[in-house]
Amino acid sequence: MVKKRPVLKESEFFSKGQLYFLPHISIDCVIFGFHNNELKVLLLQWKETLKWCLPGGFIYRDEHVNDAAIRILKSRTGLEDVYLQQFYTFGDPQRDRGNHGVKQKKNSWINDRFITIGYWAIVEYSQVKPTADEFSKTCEWWDIDKVPKLILDHNDILKEALESLRKNVNEYPVGKNLLPPKFTMPDLQRLYETLLGKKLDRRNFQKKMLSLDILQRLKERKSGVAHKAPYLYKFDEKKYQRALKQGLKFGL
Amino acid sequence: MVKKRPVLKESEFFSKGQLYFLPHISIDCVIFGFHNNELKVLLLQWKETLKWCLPGGFIYRDEHVNDAAIRILKSRTGLEDVYLQQFYTFGDPQRDRGNHGVKQKKNSWINDRFITIGYWAIVEYSQVKPTADEFSKTCEWWDIDKVPKLILDHNDILKEALESLRKNVNEYPVGKNLLPPKFTMPDLQRLYETLLGKKLDRRNFQKKMLSLDILQRLKERKSGVAHKAPYLYKFDEKKYQRALKQGLKFGL
DNA sequence: TCAAAAGTGTTCGTAATACACCCATGG
DNA sequence: CCATGGGTGTATTACGAACACTTTTGA
């Protein structure tokens, strides 16, 4: 169980000269969603500079790094129990060499060198309530192809996260996390096509997905659509969990 | 180019009360070798407690984390330019919960909580000169199946490293790094069998390896062996590099 | 009524798997 | 001289890729 932590304002980061957080170490989260057949990523905009960045935060001195990532994720999305994956730790001493830094206060601990631990998460778009933090003006979804220049090395981090996610696509059924509970086969295909960046054959795709034996076709069809109405599917929870344990391969 | 760093004794870790290294962050290296058809890992033994651990170290305040890993690796093996891979960052606040800690000096910075960044390396066994550091008595190769209880969570780290290495086996030709320049096809097969933990068919293995078109068969055969003398192979440097760029799949 | 999208099934080629024969060597 | 390990080739299978026809729907 993850310990509850108060949300601190910057003025409360210190107690008797002692920083609540570990110095020099931060966490950055790349939060992916899927909507309108587009892959989205959640970004924050700084109040003063109006520059964009990945949601991130620091680690309490007695907090598990993974718990810190969960906490940060929850504070920006409102979601718990999401698929969250640590993918790389960025340790360049000049991570701000691109000159998109956010130096704000002189001699602040926040201007020290930071090593950042990168996590990515896949979440159900419609469930997310994007929530800004104390330092930021807004928190918004961005189309992955339209992401602006971010602060520090956050564009690099995003790039690496995407690569890591793509590698996972063939080993983990990401649909469960990125799609709503009920979805159509074409929906699922769009998702994979977007993630993999290539077109897939409709029929072979369906065959492969069904052969994994983790989907359950519902009797209903999608209503109010043009052309022939596609069936709705959902993940069969039991089979899904069983398949996860023994590790399933996609090979798309 | 990696900056040269002096090897500091513990008494020299501080200058005017300022620690040379980043606090709370360490690096641990899992260094793999292959010898006598067995997968080996390089371990250090502490002088006082005689407990074993992974080679590790700290990060200079202005040093790239990857460079720190390279530096640590070189100081324990004498090798540069090895295949080194960051695989996970371990962030449990009670990493010493197993009670195999090495608390030595009270109130020392070294007893603080540490987050450690894990790297694994694959090296050519015969090229390595295992070298102990200031704190350790010896530095030795251990059979991967006979590794003793290590300090802190180092057994976990080793386990994760092995898993990460195994995942890489199918995407990276590890033979080049783990075998001597000249080797036989059975040698290569033993390596893969050890890494994957399963027997492979002799003939299919050879077919697959040759089909990758990165090996070059030499005219010589291995001498002084019982039974039919196997051919020697080496990696064709050009083809090897070309294959690496376009990414080759093994599927073993 | 017809274009566009969805459901279903067949063929084909390649790649993985299984397996058999001959050759060389040291004990 | 034969048991053991190594070199090479072939049959079989499985899976992914390519592809065709029918059905449904709203504009």
mmCIF file of all heavy atoms in Angstrom, chain B residues 116-155:
data_model
loop_
_atom_site.group_PDB
_atom_site.id
_atom_site.type_symbol
_atom_site.label_atom_id
_atom_site.label_comp_id
_atom_site.label_asym_id
_atom_site.label_seq_id
_atom_site.Cartn_x
_atom_site.Cartn_y
_atom_site.Cartn_z
ATOM 1 N N THR B 116 20.189 3.219 -6.473
ATOM 2 C CA THR B 116 21.305 2.746 -7.294
ATOM 3 C C THR B 116 20.865 2.477 -8.722
ATOM 4 O O THR B 116 19.776 1.940 -8.968
ATOM 5 C CB THR B 116 21.975 1.501 -6.682
ATOM 6 O OG1 THR B 116 23.275 1.360 -7.255
ATOM 7 C CG2 THR B 116 21.174 0.234 -6.942
ATOM 8 N N ILE B 117 21.711 2.880 -9.642
ATOM 9 C CA ILE B 117 21.427 2.707 -11.061
ATOM 10 C C ILE B 117 22.171 1.472 -11.537
ATOM 11 O O ILE B 117 23.388 1.402 -11.412
ATOM 12 C CB ILE B 117 21.857 3.951 -11.859
ATOM 13 C CG1 ILE B 117 21.195 5.195 -11.258
ATOM 14 C CG2 ILE B 117 21.512 3.807 -13.332
ATOM 15 C CD1 ILE B 117 21.723 6.508 -11.822
ATOM 16 N N GLY B 118 21.432 0.510 -12.052
ATOM 17 C CA GLY B 118 22.025 -0.766 -12.435
ATOM 18 C C GLY B 118 22.478 -0.803 -13.883
ATOM 19 O O GLY B 118 21.744 -0.392 -14.779
ATOM 20 N N TYR B 119 23.689 -1.283 -14.095
ATOM 21 C CA TYR B 119 24.223 -1.499 -15.440
ATOM 22 C C TYR B 119 24.687 -2.939 -15.545
ATOM 23 O O TYR B 119 25.139 -3.503 -14.556
ATOM 24 C CB TYR B 119 25.442 -0.603 -15.696
ATOM 25 C CG TYR B 119 25.120 0.843 -15.975
ATOM 26 C CD1 TYR B 119 24.834 1.724 -14.938
ATOM 27 C CD2 TYR B 119 25.122 1.332 -17.274
ATOM 28 C CE1 TYR B 119 24.546 3.057 -15.195
ATOM 29 C CE2 TYR B 119 24.839 2.664 -17.536
ATOM 30 C CZ TYR B 119 24.550 3.520 -16.492
ATOM 31 O OH TYR B 119 24.263 4.842 -16.752
ATOM 32 N N TRP B 120 24.560 -3.520 -16.704
ATOM 33 C CA TRP B 120 25.261 -4.782 -16.917
ATOM 34 C C TRP B 120 26.213 -4.633 -18.096
ATOM 35 O O TRP B 120 26.007 -3.786 -18.977
ATOM 36 C CB TRP B 120 24.325 -5.979 -17.086
ATOM 37 C CG TRP B 120 23.295 -5.934 -18.161
ATOM 38 C CD1 TRP B 120 21.965 -5.692 -18.015
ATOM 39 C CD2 TRP B 120 23.485 -6.184 -19.564
ATOM 40 N NE1 TRP B 120 21.329 -5.769 -19.208
ATOM 41 C CE2 TRP B 120 22.229 -6.083 -20.186
ATOM 42 C CE3 TRP B 120 24.589 -6.512 -20.361
ATOM 43 C CZ2 TRP B 120 22.049 -6.257 -21.559
ATOM 44 C CZ3 TRP B 120 24.412 -6.698 -21.728
ATOM 45 C CH2 TRP B 120 23.154 -6.574 -22.306
ATOM 46 N N ALA B 121 27.257 -5.440 -18.061
ATOM 47 C CA ALA B 121 28.262 -5.384 -19.117
ATOM 48 C C ALA B 121 28.573 -6.806 -19.539
ATOM 49 O O ALA B 121 28.494 -7.735 -18.743
ATOM 50 C CB ALA B 121 29.514 -4.702 -18.607
ATOM 51 N N ILE B 122 28.887 -6.996 -20.812
ATOM 52 C CA ILE B 122 29.375 -8.302 -21.244
ATOM 53 C C ILE B 122 30.794 -8.117 -21.749
ATOM 54 O O ILE B 122 31.082 -7.248 -22.574
ATOM 55 C CB ILE B 122 28.471 -8.944 -22.312
ATOM 56 C CG1 ILE B 122 28.034 -7.923 -23.362
ATOM 57 C CG2 ILE B 122 27.254 -9.583 -21.661
ATOM 58 C CD1 ILE B 122 27.120 -8.515 -24.414
ATOM 59 N N VAL B 123 31.700 -8.922 -21.199
ATOM 60 C CA VAL B 123 33.128 -8.761 -21.483
ATOM 61 C C VAL B 123 33.757 -10.104 -21.821
ATOM 62 O O VAL B 123 33.215 -11.160 -21.510
ATOM 63 C CB VAL B 123 33.852 -8.162 -20.266
ATOM 64 C CG1 VAL B 123 33.294 -6.799 -19.923
ATOM 65 C CG2 VAL B 123 33.775 -9.083 -19.065
ATOM 66 N N GLU B 124 34.918 -10.013 -22.461
ATOM 67 C CA GLU B 124 35.644 -11.227 -22.805
ATOM 68 C C GLU B 124 36.438 -11.674 -21.585
ATOM 69 O O GLU B 124 37.395 -11.011 -21.165
ATOM 70 C CB GLU B 124 36.555 -10.951 -23.994
ATOM 71 C CG GLU B 124 37.068 -12.206 -24.653
ATOM 72 C CD GLU B 124 38.134 -11.864 -25.678
ATOM 73 O OE1 GLU B 124 37.964 -10.874 -26.421
ATOM 74 O OE2 GLU B 124 39.158 -12.571 -25.684
ATOM 75 N N TYR B 125 36.052 -12.786 -21.068
ATOM 76 C CA TYR B 125 36.604 -13.322 -19.815
ATOM 77 C C TYR B 125 38.133 -13.211 -19.737
ATOM 78 O O TYR B 125 38.683 -12.695 -18.770
ATOM 79 C CB TYR B 125 36.188 -14.782 -19.683
ATOM 80 C CG TYR B 125 36.644 -15.463 -18.418
ATOM 81 C CD1 TYR B 125 35.865 -15.426 -17.266
ATOM 82 C CD2 TYR B 125 37.847 -16.160 -18.386
ATOM 83 C CE1 TYR B 125 36.270 -16.067 -16.105
ATOM 84 C CE2 TYR B 125 38.269 -16.795 -17.233
ATOM 85 C CZ TYR B 125 37.485 -16.740 -16.089
ATOM 86 O OH TYR B 125 37.890 -17.374 -14.952
ATOM 87 N N SER B 126 38.812 -13.699 -20.763
ATOM 88 C CA SER B 126 40.278 -13.799 -20.702
ATOM 89 C C SER B 126 40.975 -12.446 -20.713
ATOM 90 O O SER B 126 42.139 -12.328 -20.349
ATOM 91 C CB SER B 126 40.781 -14.637 -21.877
ATOM 92 O OG SER B 126 40.426 -13.996 -23.082
ATOM 93 N N GLN B 127 40.232 -11.412 -21.129
ATOM 94 C CA GLN B 127 40.838 -10.079 -21.215
ATOM 95 C C GLN B 127 40.778 -9.335 -19.881
ATOM 96 O O GLN B 127 41.420 -8.298 -19.709
ATOM 97 C CB GLN B 127 40.102 -9.240 -22.257
ATOM 98 C CG GLN B 127 40.231 -9.736 -23.667
ATOM 99 C CD GLN B 127 41.647 -9.592 -24.185
ATOM 100 O OE1 GLN B 127 42.384 -10.572 -24.294
ATOM 101 N NE2 GLN B 127 42.053 -8.361 -24.467
ATOM 102 N N VAL B 128 39.993 -9.853 -18.981
ATOM 103 C CA VAL B 128 39.738 -9.135 -17.737
ATOM 104 C C VAL B 128 40.823 -9.399 -16.701
ATOM 105 O O VAL B 128 41.253 -10.537 -16.505
ATOM 106 C CB VAL B 128 38.368 -9.557 -17.151
ATOM 107 C CG1 VAL B 128 38.150 -8.943 -15.774
ATOM 108 C CG2 VAL B 128 37.254 -9.160 -18.102
ATOM 109 N N LYS B 129 41.271 -8.321 -16.075
ATOM 110 C CA LYS B 129 42.160 -8.449 -14.923
ATOM 111 C C LYS B 129 41.376 -7.994 -13.697
ATOM 112 O O LYS B 129 41.349 -6.805 -13.393
ATOM 113 C CB LYS B 129 43.395 -7.555 -15.092
ATOM 114 C CG LYS B 129 44.294 -7.964 -16.234
ATOM 115 C CD LYS B 129 45.588 -7.173 -16.213
ATOM 116 C CE LYS B 129 46.030 -6.742 -17.609
ATOM 117 N NZ LYS B 129 45.901 -7.761 -18.642
ATOM 118 N N PRO B 130 40.750 -8.938 -13.005
ATOM 119 C CA PRO B 130 39.913 -8.554 -11.854
ATOM 120 C C PRO B 130 40.735 -7.784 -10.824
ATOM 121 O O PRO B 130 41.790 -8.254 -10.390
ATOM 122 C CB PRO B 130 39.450 -9.901 -11.291
ATOM 123 C CG PRO B 130 39.552 -10.849 -12.430
ATOM 124 C CD PRO B 130 40.746 -10.390 -13.208
ATOM 125 N N THR B 131 40.291 -6.610 -10.480
ATOM 126 C CA THR B 131 41.040 -5.720 -9.607
ATOM 127 C C THR B 131 40.164 -5.244 -8.457
ATOM 128 O O THR B 131 39.126 -4.636 -8.677
ATOM 129 C CB THR B 131 41.512 -4.483 -10.405
ATOM 130 O OG1 THR B 131 42.149 -4.919 -11.610
ATOM 131 C CG2 THR B 131 42.488 -3.662 -9.587
ATOM 132 N N ALA B 132 40.600 -5.518 -7.259
ATOM 133 C CA ALA B 132 39.852 -5.089 -6.082
ATOM 134 C C ALA B 132 40.005 -3.586 -5.875
ATOM 135 O O ALA B 132 40.911 -2.965 -6.419
ATOM 136 C CB ALA B 132 40.328 -5.843 -4.852
ATOM 137 N N ASP B 133 39.099 -2.996 -5.096
ATOM 138 C CA ASP B 133 39.223 -1.578 -4.774
ATOM 139 C C ASP B 133 39.684 -1.408 -3.332
ATOM 140 O O ASP B 133 40.027 -2.384 -2.660
ATOM 141 C CB ASP B 133 37.916 -0.840 -5.039
ATOM 142 C CG ASP B 133 36.785 -1.348 -4.156
ATOM 143 O OD1 ASP B 133 37.055 -2.014 -3.140
ATOM 144 O OD2 ASP B 133 35.617 -1.064 -4.493
ATOM 145 N N GLU B 134 39.657 -0.178 -2.903
ATOM 146 C CA GLU B 134 40.183 0.134 -1.573
ATOM 147 C C GLU B 134 39.471 -0.629 -0.461
ATOM 148 O O GLU B 134 40.079 -0.994 0.539
ATOM 149 C CB GLU B 134 40.022 1.641 -1.337
ATOM 150 C CG GLU B 134 40.727 2.151 -0.098
ATOM 151 C CD GLU B 134 40.175 3.516 0.341
ATOM 152 O OE1 GLU B 134 39.319 4.078 -0.372
ATOM 153 O OE2 GLU B 134 40.610 3.989 1.402
ATOM 154 N N PHE B 135 38.200 -0.886 -0.654
ATOM 155 C CA PHE B 135 37.387 -1.485 0.406
ATOM 156 C C PHE B 135 37.376 -3.013 0.368
ATOM 157 O O PHE B 135 36.926 -3.651 1.290
ATOM 158 C CB PHE B 135 35.940 -1.000 0.298
ATOM 159 C CG PHE B 135 35.828 0.487 0.280
ATOM 160 C CD1 PHE B 135 35.586 1.158 -0.897
ATOM 161 C CD2 PHE B 135 36.003 1.218 1.462
ATOM 162 C CE1 PHE B 135 35.503 2.546 -0.912
ATOM 163 C CE2 PHE B 135 35.910 2.598 1.447
ATOM 164 C CZ PHE B 135 35.668 3.265 0.254
ATOM 165 N N SER B 136 37.847 -3.561 -0.727
ATOM 166 C CA SER B 136 37.659 -4.999 -0.892
ATOM 167 C C SER B 136 38.958 -5.782 -0.891
ATOM 168 O O SER B 136 40.027 -5.271 -1.230
ATOM 169 C CB SER B 136 36.855 -5.262 -2.157
ATOM 170 O OG SER B 136 37.333 -4.479 -3.224
ATOM 171 N N LYS B 137 38.799 -7.016 -0.514
ATOM 172 C CA LYS B 137 39.919 -7.936 -0.360
ATOM 173 C C LYS B 137 40.259 -8.549 -1.707
ATOM 174 O O LYS B 137 41.413 -8.580 -2.126
ATOM 175 C CB LYS B 137 39.482 -9.033 0.622
ATOM 176 C CG LYS B 137 40.585 -9.861 1.196
ATOM 177 C CD LYS B 137 39.999 -10.798 2.272
ATOM 178 C CE LYS B 137 40.860 -12.028 2.426
ATOM 179 N NZ LYS B 137 40.137 -13.254 2.115
ATOM 180 N N THR B 138 39.248 -9.044 -2.371
ATOM 181 C CA THR B 138 39.482 -9.641 -3.677
ATOM 182 C C THR B 138 38.367 -9.286 -4.648
ATOM 183 O O THR B 138 37.309 -8.812 -4.262
ATOM 184 C CB THR B 138 39.530 -11.193 -3.604
ATOM 185 O OG1 THR B 138 38.289 -11.640 -3.065
ATOM 186 C CG2 THR B 138 40.690 -11.670 -2.773
ATOM 187 N N CYS B 139 38.678 -9.541 -5.910
ATOM 188 C CA CYS B 139 37.705 -9.379 -6.994
ATOM 189 C C CYS B 139 37.804 -10.653 -7.811
ATOM 190 O O CYS B 139 38.862 -10.961 -8.346
ATOM 191 C CB CYS B 139 38.091 -8.155 -7.819
ATOM 192 S SG CYS B 139 36.975 -7.793 -9.179
ATOM 193 N N GLU B 140 36.703 -11.388 -7.878
ATOM 194 C CA GLU B 140 36.769 -12.706 -8.521
ATOM 195 C C GLU B 140 35.550 -13.003 -9.378
ATOM 196 O O GLU B 140 34.471 -12.485 -9.142
ATOM 197 C CB GLU B 140 36.855 -13.808 -7.444
ATOM 198 C CG GLU B 140 38.215 -13.933 -6.809
ATOM 199 C CD GLU B 140 38.206 -14.926 -5.651
ATOM 200 O OE1 GLU B 140 37.268 -15.758 -5.593
ATOM 201 O OE2 GLU B 140 39.122 -14.870 -4.813
ATOM 202 N N TRP B 141 35.765 -13.918 -10.316
ATOM 203 C CA TRP B 141 34.664 -14.422 -11.127
ATOM 204 C C TRP B 141 33.906 -15.493 -10.334
ATOM 205 O O TRP B 141 34.532 -16.344 -9.704
ATOM 206 C CB TRP B 141 35.187 -15.056 -12.412
ATOM 207 C CG TRP B 141 35.675 -14.092 -13.440
ATOM 208 C CD1 TRP B 141 36.972 -13.870 -13.817
ATOM 209 C CD2 TRP B 141 34.882 -13.230 -14.249
ATOM 210 N NE1 TRP B 141 37.042 -12.933 -14.810
ATOM 211 C CE2 TRP B 141 35.768 -12.521 -15.095
ATOM 212 C CE3 TRP B 141 33.508 -12.978 -14.351
ATOM 213 C CZ2 TRP B 141 35.319 -11.579 -16.022
ATOM 214 C CZ3 TRP B 141 33.079 -12.040 -15.281
ATOM 215 C CH2 TRP B 141 33.967 -11.352 -16.101
ATOM 216 N N TRP B 142 32.593 -15.444 -10.442
ATOM 217 C CA TRP B 142 31.760 -16.485 -9.832
ATOM 218 C C TRP B 142 30.858 -17.094 -10.880
ATOM 219 O O TRP B 142 30.331 -16.389 -11.746
ATOM 220 C CB TRP B 142 30.890 -15.890 -8.725
ATOM 221 C CG TRP B 142 31.609 -15.689 -7.440
ATOM 222 C CD1 TRP B 142 32.545 -14.727 -7.176
ATOM 223 C CD2 TRP B 142 31.474 -16.455 -6.239
ATOM 224 N NE1 TRP B 142 32.997 -14.844 -5.892
ATOM 225 C CE2 TRP B 142 32.354 -15.899 -5.278
ATOM 226 C CE3 TRP B 142 30.684 -17.545 -5.876
ATOM 227 C CZ2 TRP B 142 32.465 -16.406 -3.985
ATOM 228 C CZ3 TRP B 142 30.797 -18.044 -4.586
ATOM 229 C CH2 TRP B 142 31.688 -17.483 -3.655
ATOM 230 N N ASP B 143 30.701 -18.374 -10.782
ATOM 231 C CA ASP B 143 29.727 -19.050 -11.631
ATOM 232 C C ASP B 143 28.340 -18.487 -11.295
ATOM 233 O O ASP B 143 27.982 -18.361 -10.126
ATOM 234 C CB ASP B 143 29.779 -20.543 -11.361
ATOM 235 C CG ASP B 143 28.956 -21.337 -12.347
ATOM 236 O OD1 ASP B 143 27.788 -20.992 -12.586
ATOM 237 O OD2 ASP B 143 29.494 -22.313 -12.879
ATOM 238 N N ILE B 144 27.575 -18.193 -12.319
ATOM 239 C CA ILE B 144 26.285 -17.540 -12.089
ATOM 240 C C ILE B 144 25.355 -18.389 -11.226
ATOM 241 O O ILE B 144 24.494 -17.850 -10.506
ATOM 242 C CB ILE B 144 25.600 -17.211 -13.449
ATOM 243 C CG1 ILE B 144 24.482 -16.192 -13.274
ATOM 244 C CG2 ILE B 144 25.067 -18.465 -14.095
ATOM 245 C CD1 ILE B 144 24.951 -14.792 -13.168
ATOM 246 N N ASP B 145 25.551 -19.677 -11.265
ATOM 247 C CA ASP B 145 24.689 -20.569 -10.482
ATOM 248 C C ASP B 145 25.170 -20.764 -9.055
ATOM 249 O O ASP B 145 24.500 -21.404 -8.253
ATOM 250 C CB ASP B 145 24.605 -21.943 -11.156
ATOM 251 C CG ASP B 145 23.905 -21.866 -12.503
ATOM 252 O OD1 ASP B 145 22.913 -21.120 -12.589
ATOM 253 O OD2 ASP B 145 24.356 -22.533 -13.444
ATOM 254 N N LYS B 146 26.349 -20.237 -8.761
ATOM 255 C CA LYS B 146 26.916 -20.480 -7.433
ATOM 256 C C LYS B 146 27.141 -19.195 -6.644
ATOM 257 O O LYS B 146 27.864 -19.191 -5.642
ATOM 258 C CB LYS B 146 28.247 -21.234 -7.573
ATOM 259 C CG LYS B 146 28.059 -22.663 -8.037
ATOM 260 C CD LYS B 146 29.348 -23.279 -8.548
ATOM 261 C CE LYS B 146 29.058 -24.610 -9.210
ATOM 262 N NZ LYS B 146 30.111 -24.987 -10.185
ATOM 263 N N VAL B 147 26.569 -18.108 -7.127
ATOM 264 C CA VAL B 147 26.746 -16.817 -6.463
ATOM 265 C C VAL B 147 26.236 -16.896 -5.023
ATOM 266 O O VAL B 147 25.127 -17.370 -4.781
ATOM 267 C CB VAL B 147 25.981 -15.715 -7.232
ATOM 268 C CG1 VAL B 147 25.900 -14.443 -6.417
ATOM 269 C CG2 VAL B 147 26.656 -15.454 -8.572
ATOM 270 N N PRO B 148 27.028 -16.453 -4.071
ATOM 271 C CA PRO B 148 26.620 -16.504 -2.668
ATOM 272 C C PRO B 148 25.627 -15.395 -2.334
ATOM 273 O O PRO B 148 25.253 -14.609 -3.204
ATOM 274 C CB PRO B 148 27.932 -16.283 -1.928
ATOM 275 C CG PRO B 148 28.695 -15.363 -2.824
ATOM 276 C CD PRO B 148 28.338 -15.783 -4.232
ATOM 277 N N LYS B 149 25.220 -15.331 -1.093
ATOM 278 C CA LYS B 149 24.365 -14.246 -0.622
ATOM 279 C C LYS B 149 25.175 -12.958 -0.695
ATOM 280 O O LYS B 149 26.271 -12.877 -0.149
ATOM 281 C CB LYS B 149 23.943 -14.514 0.815
ATOM 282 C CG LYS B 149 22.708 -13.765 1.211
ATOM 283 C CD LYS B 149 21.926 -14.544 2.269
ATOM 284 C CE LYS B 149 20.454 -14.274 2.161
ATOM 285 N NZ LYS B 149 19.649 -15.235 2.913
ATOM 286 N N LEU B 150 24.623 -11.968 -1.347
ATOM 287 C CA LEU B 150 25.334 -10.705 -1.492
ATOM 288 C C LEU B 150 24.758 -9.667 -0.548
ATOM 289 O O LEU B 150 23.673 -9.850 0.008
ATOM 290 C CB LEU B 150 25.234 -10.207 -2.933
ATOM 291 C CG LEU B 150 25.661 -11.196 -4.019
ATOM 292 C CD1 LEU B 150 25.415 -10.610 -5.401
ATOM 293 C CD2 LEU B 150 27.137 -11.555 -3.870
ATOM 294 N N ILE B 151 25.480 -8.567 -0.375
ATOM 295 C CA ILE B 151 25.006 -7.507 0.513
ATOM 296 C C ILE B 151 23.776 -6.813 -0.086
ATOM 297 O O ILE B 151 23.505 -6.917 -1.276
ATOM 298 C CB ILE B 151 26.096 -6.445 0.768
ATOM 299 C CG1 ILE B 151 26.436 -5.729 -0.538
ATOM 300 C CG2 ILE B 151 27.340 -7.058 1.366
ATOM 301 C CD1 ILE B 151 27.167 -4.430 -0.331
ATOM 302 N N LEU B 152 23.069 -6.106 0.759
ATOM 303 C CA LEU B 152 21.925 -5.297 0.335
ATOM 304 C C LEU B 152 20.988 -6.093 -0.563
ATOM 305 O O LEU B 152 20.698 -7.246 -0.268
ATOM 306 C CB LEU B 152 22.427 -4.025 -0.381
ATOM 307 C CG LEU B 152 23.374 -3.120 0.426
ATOM 308 C CD1 LEU B 152 23.959 -2.045 -0.448
ATOM 309 C CD2 LEU B 152 22.641 -2.507 1.599
ATOM 310 N N ASP B 153 20.565 -5.450 -1.656
ATOM 311 C CA ASP B 153 19.667 -6.132 -2.590
ATOM 312 C C ASP B 153 20.416 -6.591 -3.839
ATOM 313 O O ASP B 153 19.831 -6.742 -4.907
ATOM 314 C CB ASP B 153 18.517 -5.204 -2.975
ATOM 315 C CG ASP B 153 19.022 -3.901 -3.592
ATOM 316 O OD1 ASP B 153 20.257 -3.666 -3.542
ATOM 317 O OD2 ASP B 153 18.208 -3.123 -4.109
ATOM 318 N N HIS B 154 21.723 -6.829 -3.664
ATOM 319 C CA HIS B 154 22.529 -7.130 -4.849
ATOM 320 C C HIS B 154 22.141 -8.431 -5.548
ATOM 321 O O HIS B 154 22.335 -8.570 -6.758
ATOM 322 C CB HIS B 154 24.016 -7.117 -4.490
ATOM 323 C CG HIS B 154 24.561 -5.741 -4.320
ATOM 324 N ND1 HIS B 154 25.901 -5.434 -4.389
ATOM 325 C CD2 HIS B 154 23.928 -4.560 -4.106
ATOM 326 C CE1 HIS B 154 26.077 -4.142 -4.200
ATOM 327 N NE2 HIS B 154 24.889 -3.580 -4.012
ATOM 328 N N ASN B 155 21.579 -9.382 -4.792
ATOM 329 C CA ASN B 155 21.104 -10.596 -5.457
ATOM 330 C C ASN B 155 19.930 -10.279 -6.393
ATOM 331 O O ASN B 155 19.845 -10.815 -7.491
ATOM 332 C CB ASN B 155 20.684 -11.655 -4.430
ATOM 333 C CG ASN B 155 21.873 -12.269 -3.712
ATOM 334 O OD1 ASN B 155 22.222 -11.822 -2.620
ATOM 335 N ND2 ASN B 155 22.511 -13.257 -4.310
#
